[in-house]
Amino acid sequence: AQSVTQPDIHITVSEGASLELRCNYSYGATPYLFWYVQSPGQGLQLLLKYFSGDTLVQGIKGFEAEFKRSQSSFNLRKPSVHWSDAAEYFCAVVPSGNTGKLIFGQGTTLQVKP
Amino acid sequence: DGGITQSPKYLFRKEGQNVTLSCEQNLNHDAMYWYRQDPGQGLRLIYYSQIVNDFQKGDIAEGYSVSREKKESFPLTVTSAQKNPTAFYLCASSISGVEVVGYTFGSGTRLTVV
């Protein structure tokens, strides 16, 4: 079945440590790929997106993501986490040829230890 | 500034009542979407509309209804037929067409059945 999977429901890292959040998709053709962040009780904010071209994309707040076609993955990374990065992170895809509907993963909650 | 406004932020409903959640955008976006968010389940698409006077069911449309009489407005009615309406509801909009730039989200409405 076509899906977006975020394998880690909850991740805890220490402030200043590096971060990697995983995202895998199961669609035949390369979809459009997105990462969003959500603070508690708020809407979602776009961190970055990938459509084509360079497989390493830079986003806001120091985040980056790498598209790996062979692994059907689009993992989000940050070299040094700040306490303000604690939030819920969603990977999302628009399957190619789709009408533009975003399909979301289940989300990963990031906790940052002082 | 352009954006999406959802109101109210908190809404309480008695069982058996219909309630309407408001979503207004001044981004001149063609497409609008309603998502439901429950803990651990990510975002699930309820309804979407790509043009005025037209809308389609998403994955969990049962118990919900929408209208799209104006480009800037896409209200969602949660009817008494919705068995478990307590959730966080998010409205989003985007330009339609081939160039997908992701969605802009509102700040959400938390609906509680009392």
Side-chain angles (χ1 to χ4, degrees):
Chain A
Q2 297 180 329
S3 66
V4 182
T5 302
Q6 294 179 246
D8 305 304
I9 296 174
H10 192 106
I11 284 184
T12 300
V13 300
S14 298
E15 190 168 16
S18 63
L19 171 70
E20 183 170 32
L21 302 182
R22 296 183 291 164
C23 174
N24 295 95
Y25 63 90
S26 58
Y27 294 91
T30 300
Y32 299 134
L33 298 158
F34 303 83
W35 275 99
Y36 283 86
V37 61
Q38 183 183 34
S39 298
Q42 298 297 313
L44 276 68
Q45 181 183 22
L46 180 66
L47 285 175
L48 46 78
K49 58 185 183 285
Y50 173 79
F51 295 156
S52 64
D54 192 349
T55 56
L56 184 64
V57 294
Q58 302 297 321
I60 62 171
K61 304 185 180 187
F63 285 92
E64 65 179 26
E66 185 172 13
F67 168 63
K68 292 186 177 180
R69 185 188 307 274
S70 61
Q71 299 177 18
S72 296
S73 69
F74 188 55
N75 294 350
L76 182 71
R77 302 194 294 244
K78 187 168 185 178
S80 177
V81 170
H82 188 262
W83 65 265
S84 60
D85 293 324
E88 189 160 19
Y89 292 80
F90 291 94
C91 180
V93 308
V94 176
S96 64
N98 196 276
T99 54
K101 291 183 292 180
L102 263 178
I103 300 170
F104 288 85
Q106 299 92 329
T108 297
T109 299
L110 173 65
Q111 183 178 3
V112 180
K113 293 190 302 185
Chain B
D1 286 341
I4 296 182
T5 301
Q6 289 189 242
S7 61
K9 191 169 179 65
Y10 298 97
L11 187 57
F12 297 89
R13 188 194 94 170
K14 293 183 179 180
E15 292 206 21
Q17 283 183 336
N18 293 353
V19 290
T20 298
L21 283 60
S22 170
C23 178
E24 304 275 334
Q25 54 100 358
N26 59 4
L27 299 165
N28 200 33
H29 284 172
D30 295 307
M32 297 186 75
Y33 310 82
W34 273 106
Y35 283 88
R36 170 180 171 141
Q37 185 177 17
D38 297 281
Q41 296 195 47
L43 279 72
R44 293 180 290 169
L45 183 64
I46 303 172
Y47 268 99
Y48 65 103
S49 168
Q50 294 185 304
I51 195 169
V52 174
N53 292 322
D54 188 45
F55 49 83
Q56 287 78 40
K57 293 181 179 180
D59 300 319
I60 56 166
E62 185 175 350
Y64 300 96
S65 66
V66 294
S67 62
R68 187 84 188 277
E69 297 176 0
K70 297 186 294 183
K71 186 175 185 177
E72 59 269 23
S73 178
F74 191 41
L76 173 74
T77 297
V78 184
T79 74
S80 56
Q82 169 49 235
K83 300 268 187 279
N84 184 21
T86 295
F88 190 53
Y89 291 87
L90 285 161
C91 180
S93 70
S94 72
I95 61 172
S96 60
V98 175
E99 291 185 357
V100 178
V101 296
Y103 292 1
T104 300
F105 280 88
S107 57
T109 292
R110 185 166 298 281
L111 173 63
T112 303
V113 174
V114 297

PDB file of all heavy atoms in Angstrom, chain B residues 5-6 15-16 19 24 33 38 41 72 74 82 84 88-90 97 102 107 109:
ATOM      1  N   THR B   5      -6.891  32.059   8.484  1.00  0.00           N
ATOM      2  CA  THR B   5      -7.478  32.289   9.799  1.00  0.00           C
ATOM      3  C   THR B   5      -8.512  31.226  10.080  1.00  0.00           C
ATOM      4  O   THR B   5      -9.468  31.051   9.305  1.00  0.00           O
ATOM      5  CB  THR B   5      -8.130  33.675   9.879  1.00  0.00           C
ATOM      6  OG1 THR B   5      -7.142  34.672   9.607  1.00  0.00           O
ATOM      7  CG2 THR B   5      -8.717  33.901  11.263  1.00  0.00           C
ATOM      8  N   GLN B   6      -8.326  30.517  11.187  1.00  0.00           N
ATOM      9  CA  GLN B   6      -9.308  29.538  11.641  1.00  0.00           C
ATOM     10  C   GLN B   6      -9.964  30.054  12.907  1.00  0.00           C
ATOM     11  O   GLN B   6      -9.283  30.558  13.799  1.00  0.00           O
ATOM     12  CB  GLN B   6      -8.649  28.190  11.933  1.00  0.00           C
ATOM     13  CG  GLN B   6      -8.187  27.451  10.695  1.00  0.00           C
ATOM     14  CD  GLN B   6      -7.741  26.043  11.027  1.00  0.00           C
ATOM     15  OE1 GLN B   6      -6.588  25.680  10.842  1.00  0.00           O
ATOM     16  NE2 GLN B   6      -8.663  25.239  11.511  1.00  0.00           N
ATOM     17  N   GLU B  15     -23.308  16.596  22.515  1.00  0.00           N
ATOM     18  CA  GLU B  15     -23.613  15.466  21.649  1.00  0.00           C
ATOM     19  C   GLU B  15     -24.925  15.722  20.921  1.00  0.00           C
ATOM     20  O   GLU B  15     -25.879  16.241  21.497  1.00  0.00           O
ATOM     21  CB  GLU B  15     -23.713  14.178  22.469  1.00  0.00           C
ATOM     22  CG  GLU B  15     -22.384  13.750  23.029  1.00  0.00           C
ATOM     23  CD  GLU B  15     -22.318  12.250  23.274  1.00  0.00           C
ATOM     24  OE1 GLU B  15     -23.112  11.508  22.672  1.00  0.00           O
ATOM     25  OE2 GLU B  15     -21.472  11.840  24.069  1.00  0.00           O
ATOM     26  N   GLY B  16     -24.968  15.380  19.626  1.00  0.00           N
ATOM     27  CA  GLY B  16     -26.167  15.562  18.831  1.00  0.00           C
ATOM     28  C   GLY B  16     -26.247  16.893  18.122  1.00  0.00           C
ATOM     29  O   GLY B  16     -27.168  17.131  17.338  1.00  0.00           O
ATOM     30  N   VAL B  19     -21.802  21.549  14.436  1.00  0.00           N
ATOM     31  CA  VAL B  19     -21.009  22.755  14.630  1.00  0.00           C
ATOM     32  C   VAL B  19     -20.243  23.054  13.350  1.00  0.00           C
ATOM     33  O   VAL B  19     -19.887  22.140  12.611  1.00  0.00           O
ATOM     34  CB  VAL B  19     -20.007  22.635  15.803  1.00  0.00           C
ATOM     35  CG1 VAL B  19     -20.731  22.623  17.117  1.00  0.00           C
ATOM     36  CG2 VAL B  19     -19.125  21.424  15.637  1.00  0.00           C
ATOM     37  N   GLU B  24     -10.716  30.916   6.650  1.00  0.00           N
ATOM     38  CA  GLU B  24     -10.660  32.009   5.675  1.00  0.00           C
ATOM     39  C   GLU B  24      -9.203  32.248   5.288  1.00  0.00           C
ATOM     40  O   GLU B  24      -8.333  32.279   6.153  1.00  0.00           O
ATOM     41  CB  GLU B  24     -11.217  33.304   6.274  1.00  0.00           C
ATOM     42  CG  GLU B  24     -12.632  33.201   6.805  1.00  0.00           C
ATOM     43  CD  GLU B  24     -13.669  33.412   5.724  1.00  0.00           C
ATOM     44  OE1 GLU B  24     -13.368  34.093   4.722  1.00  0.00           O
ATOM     45  OE2 GLU B  24     -14.798  32.889   5.873  1.00  0.00           O
ATOM     46  N   TYR B  33      -8.076  22.792   2.058  1.00  0.00           N
ATOM     47  CA  TYR B  33      -8.123  21.437   2.599  1.00  0.00           C
ATOM     48  C   TYR B  33      -8.518  21.481   4.074  1.00  0.00           C
ATOM     49  O   TYR B  33      -8.194  22.430   4.793  1.00  0.00           O
ATOM     50  CB  TYR B  33      -6.730  20.778   2.509  1.00  0.00           C
ATOM     51  CG  TYR B  33      -6.087  20.869   1.148  1.00  0.00           C
ATOM     52  CD1 TYR B  33      -5.417  22.020   0.756  1.00  0.00           C
ATOM     53  CD2 TYR B  33      -6.135  19.794   0.266  1.00  0.00           C
ATOM     54  CE1 TYR B  33      -4.817  22.106  -0.492  1.00  0.00           C
ATOM     55  CE2 TYR B  33      -5.542  19.872  -0.984  1.00  0.00           C
ATOM     56  CZ  TYR B  33      -4.886  21.032  -1.355  1.00  0.00           C
ATOM     57  OH  TYR B  33      -4.294  21.119  -2.592  1.00  0.00           O
ATOM     58  N   ASP B  38      -5.318  13.571  15.290  1.00  0.00           N
ATOM     59  CA  ASP B  38      -5.472  12.851  16.545  1.00  0.00           C
ATOM     60  C   ASP B  38      -4.090  12.394  16.993  1.00  0.00           C
ATOM     61  O   ASP B  38      -3.239  12.082  16.155  1.00  0.00           O
ATOM     62  CB  ASP B  38      -6.383  11.631  16.361  1.00  0.00           C
ATOM     63  CG  ASP B  38      -7.794  12.018  15.948  1.00  0.00           C
ATOM     64  OD1 ASP B  38      -8.549  12.422  16.847  1.00  0.00           O
ATOM     65  OD2 ASP B  38      -8.135  11.930  14.756  1.00  0.00           O
ATOM     66  N   GLN B  41      -1.680   9.720  15.185  1.00  0.00           N
ATOM     67  CA  GLN B  41      -2.221   9.316  13.880  1.00  0.00           C
ATOM     68  C   GLN B  41      -1.885  10.291  12.778  1.00  0.00           C
ATOM     69  O   GLN B  41      -2.357  10.147  11.651  1.00  0.00           O
ATOM     70  CB  GLN B  41      -3.746   9.168  13.975  1.00  0.00           C
ATOM     71  CG  GLN B  41      -4.192   8.073  14.915  1.00  0.00           C
ATOM     72  CD  GLN B  41      -5.643   7.716  14.710  1.00  0.00           C
ATOM     73  OE1 GLN B  41      -6.104   7.526  13.589  1.00  0.00           O
ATOM     74  NE2 GLN B  41      -6.388   7.628  15.793  1.00  0.00           N
ATOM     75  N   GLU B  72     -12.128  32.432  -0.932  1.00  0.00           N
ATOM     76  CA  GLU B  72     -11.367  32.627   0.296  1.00  0.00           C
ATOM     77  C   GLU B  72     -11.906  31.863   1.494  1.00  0.00           C
ATOM     78  O   GLU B  72     -11.306  31.891   2.554  1.00  0.00           O
ATOM     79  CB  GLU B  72     -11.305  34.121   0.629  1.00  0.00           C
ATOM     80  CG  GLU B  72     -12.656  34.777   0.811  1.00  0.00           C
ATOM     81  CD  GLU B  72     -13.216  35.353  -0.476  1.00  0.00           C
ATOM     82  OE1 GLU B  72     -12.811  34.892  -1.569  1.00  0.00           O
ATOM     83  OE2 GLU B  72     -14.066  36.262  -0.392  1.00  0.00           O
ATOM     84  N   PHE B  74     -13.751  28.259   3.288  1.00  0.00           N
ATOM     85  CA  PHE B  74     -13.992  26.814   3.163  1.00  0.00           C
ATOM     86  C   PHE B  74     -14.437  26.285   4.530  1.00  0.00           C
ATOM     87  O   PHE B  74     -13.695  25.601   5.239  1.00  0.00           O
ATOM     88  CB  PHE B  74     -12.720  26.119   2.697  1.00  0.00           C
ATOM     89  CG  PHE B  74     -12.884  24.682   2.268  1.00  0.00           C
ATOM     90  CD1 PHE B  74     -13.973  24.267   1.515  1.00  0.00           C
ATOM     91  CD2 PHE B  74     -11.914  23.733   2.593  1.00  0.00           C
ATOM     92  CE1 PHE B  74     -14.108  22.951   1.101  1.00  0.00           C
ATOM     93  CE2 PHE B  74     -12.031  22.411   2.175  1.00  0.00           C
ATOM     94  CZ  PHE B  74     -13.124  22.027   1.437  1.00  0.00           C
ATOM     95  N   GLN B  82     -21.054  12.306  13.042  1.00  0.00           N
ATOM     96  CA  GLN B  82     -19.638  12.020  13.296  1.00  0.00           C
ATOM     97  C   GLN B  82     -19.529  11.424  14.695  1.00  0.00           C
ATOM     98  O   GLN B  82     -19.801  12.098  15.695  1.00  0.00           O
ATOM     99  CB  GLN B  82     -18.803  13.295  13.169  1.00  0.00           C
ATOM    100  CG  GLN B  82     -17.357  13.198  13.660  1.00  0.00           C
ATOM    101  CD  GLN B  82     -16.594  12.005  13.132  1.00  0.00           C
ATOM    102  OE1 GLN B  82     -16.042  11.207  13.883  1.00  0.00           O
ATOM    103  NE2 GLN B  82     -16.577  11.870  11.828  1.00  0.00           N
ATOM    104  N   ASN B  84     -17.030  10.360  16.639  1.00  0.00           N
ATOM    105  CA  ASN B  84     -15.975  10.738  17.581  1.00  0.00           C
ATOM    106  C   ASN B  84     -15.344  12.048  17.122  1.00  0.00           C
ATOM    107  O   ASN B  84     -14.237  12.055  16.592  1.00  0.00           O
ATOM    108  CB  ASN B  84     -14.916   9.629  17.654  1.00  0.00           C
ATOM    109  CG  ASN B  84     -13.852   9.941  18.679  1.00  0.00           C
ATOM    110  OD1 ASN B  84     -14.070  10.733  19.586  1.00  0.00           O
ATOM    111  ND2 ASN B  84     -12.691   9.334  18.523  1.00  0.00           N
ATOM    112  N   PHE B  88      -8.310  17.833  16.879  1.00  0.00           N
ATOM    113  CA  PHE B  88      -7.738  19.109  16.459  1.00  0.00           C
ATOM    114  C   PHE B  88      -7.913  19.188  14.946  1.00  0.00           C
ATOM    115  O   PHE B  88      -7.523  18.271  14.233  1.00  0.00           O
ATOM    116  CB  PHE B  88      -6.255  19.153  16.853  1.00  0.00           C
ATOM    117  CG  PHE B  88      -5.602  20.487  16.700  1.00  0.00           C
ATOM    118  CD1 PHE B  88      -6.144  21.619  17.276  1.00  0.00           C
ATOM    119  CD2 PHE B  88      -4.417  20.625  15.987  1.00  0.00           C
ATOM    120  CE1 PHE B  88      -5.529  22.861  17.166  1.00  0.00           C
ATOM    121  CE2 PHE B  88      -3.787  21.855  15.863  1.00  0.00           C
ATOM    122  CZ  PHE B  88      -4.343  22.978  16.453  1.00  0.00           C
ATOM    123  N   TYR B  89      -8.542  20.270  14.465  1.00  0.00           N
ATOM    124  CA  TYR B  89      -8.847  20.395  13.040  1.00  0.00           C
ATOM    125  C   TYR B  89      -7.988  21.493  12.424  1.00  0.00           C
ATOM    126  O   TYR B  89      -7.932  22.622  12.932  1.00  0.00           O
ATOM    127  CB  TYR B  89     -10.336  20.720  12.851  1.00  0.00           C
ATOM    128  CG  TYR B  89     -11.222  19.567  13.216  1.00  0.00           C
ATOM    129  CD1 TYR B  89     -11.653  19.379  14.527  1.00  0.00           C
ATOM    130  CD2 TYR B  89     -11.619  18.633  12.251  1.00  0.00           C
ATOM    131  CE1 TYR B  89     -12.455  18.306  14.869  1.00  0.00           C
ATOM    132  CE2 TYR B  89     -12.425  17.564  12.589  1.00  0.00           C
ATOM    133  CZ  TYR B  89     -12.841  17.402  13.903  1.00  0.00           C
ATOM    134  OH  TYR B  89     -13.629  16.341  14.238  1.00  0.00           O
ATOM    135  N   LEU B  90      -7.363  21.143  11.321  1.00  0.00           N
ATOM    136  CA  LEU B  90      -6.472  22.070  10.638  1.00  0.00           C
ATOM    137  C   LEU B  90      -6.963  22.333   9.224  1.00  0.00           C
ATOM    138  O   LEU B  90      -7.302  21.403   8.488  1.00  0.00           O
ATOM    139  CB  LEU B  90      -5.047  21.513  10.584  1.00  0.00           C
ATOM    140  CG  LEU B  90      -4.273  21.565  11.896  1.00  0.00           C
ATOM    141  CD1 LEU B  90      -3.108  20.596  11.867  1.00  0.00           C
ATOM    142  CD2 LEU B  90      -3.783  22.975  12.156  1.00  0.00           C
ATOM    143  N   GLY B  97      -2.335  23.259  -9.414  1.00  0.00           N
ATOM    144  CA  GLY B  97      -1.553  23.144 -10.639  1.00  0.00           C
ATOM    145  C   GLY B  97      -0.340  22.279 -10.434  1.00  0.00           C
ATOM    146  O   GLY B  97      -0.136  21.648  -9.406  1.00  0.00           O
ATOM    147  N   GLY B 102       3.712  23.254  -1.492  1.00  0.00           N
ATOM    148  CA  GLY B 102       3.362  22.922  -0.131  1.00  0.00           C
ATOM    149  C   GLY B 102       2.137  23.701   0.311  1.00  0.00           C
ATOM    150  O   GLY B 102       1.615  24.525  -0.439  1.00  0.00           O
ATOM    151  N   SER B 107      -3.947  27.964  12.232  1.00  0.00           N
ATOM    152  CA  SER B 107      -3.458  27.603  13.566  1.00  0.00           C
ATOM    153  C   SER B 107      -4.349  26.594  14.266  1.00  0.00           C
ATOM    154  O   SER B 107      -4.062  26.186  15.383  1.00  0.00           O
ATOM    155  CB  SER B 107      -3.304  28.852  14.431  1.00  0.00           C
ATOM    156  OG  SER B 107      -4.537  29.530  14.499  1.00  0.00           O
ATOM    157  N   THR B 109      -8.334  24.513  15.084  1.00  0.00           N
ATOM    158  CA  THR B 109      -9.465  24.606  16.015  1.00  0.00           C
ATOM    159  C   THR B 109      -9.526  23.302  16.786  1.00  0.00           C
ATOM    160  O   THR B 109      -9.541  22.228  16.185  1.00  0.00           O
ATOM    161  CB  THR B 109     -10.796  24.803  15.273  1.00  0.00           C
ATOM    162  OG1 THR B 109     -10.815  26.085  14.652  1.00  0.00           O
ATOM    163  CG2 THR B 109     -11.981  24.702  16.242  1.00  0.00           C
TER     164      THR B 109
END
